Amino acid sequence: MEFVLSCLVGIFFTAAIYLMLSRHSVRIMLGIAILSNAVNLLIFTAGRVSGFVPPIIPKSMDTLPSGTANPLPQALILTAIVIAFSFFAFLLVLTYRAYQDLNTDDTDDMRAAEPKDQPMPPLGY
């Protein structure tokens, strides 16, 4: 099972990098969302998937019994999901407002600070 999840993490990272290299802001935003899911799945896979017993300490013991699931990656992933969702919502609003103001989602056409007809700055001093 861990091999399958490792391959899935690789596919997610590949798709995310491919989308983030695009010129269109919507594809970049989707690439960042897929990248956050890939990182979450990587943390989950690295935290041992084969735990069969929930991480609850019985009354008769002081520590977790062997074979329990590791609770730390699960807590990290839960926090990362919340942060990734809020970041995705921010990017969604930012992309929408940029499209409203500039009427394009092509990042090469979003050159309000550097118009195309201006000469290049000096390359050396």
Side-chain angles (χ1 to χ4, degrees):
M1 185 65 178
E2 290 180 1
F3 176 74
V4 174
L5 288 175
S6 301
C7 292
L8 188 63
V9 166
I11 291 170
F12 275 12
F13 273 112
T14 304
I17 290 171
Y18 175 75
L19 286 172
M20 287 191 312
L21 290 175
S22 176
R23 291 184 347 189
H24 300 282
S25 59
V26 174
R27 289 183 183 171
I28 294 170
M29 179 184 62
L30 291 175
I32 291 172
I34 292 174
L35 181 69
S36 68
N37 288 329
V39 170
N40 290 342
L41 191 60
L42 177 70
I43 294 171
F44 181 71
T45 305
R48 290 188 323 228
V49 182
S50 60
F52 300 113
V53 181
I56 299 173
I57 301 175
K59 288 186 178 184
S60 62
M61 297 179 73
D62 292 333
T63 61
L64 287 172
S66 62
T68 59
N70 191 359
L72 182 63
Q74 296 174 8
L76 289 174
I77 291 169
L78 185 62
T79 305
I81 288 171
V82 172
I83 293 169
F85 179 73
S86 63
F87 186 61
F88 180 72
F90 170 73
L91 286 179
L92 187 66
V93 170
L94 185 68
T95 303
Y96 179 69
R97 288 290 301 163
Y99 182 76
Q100 274 185 334
D101 290 344
L102 302 171
N103 293 326
T104 184
D105 71 335
D106 190 357
T107 55
D108 286 344
D109 293 338
M110 294 181 179
R111 297 175 58 108
E114 301 174 6
K116 290 182 181 179
D117 299 333
Q118 298 293 325
M120 293 290 292
L123 299 177
Y125 294 101

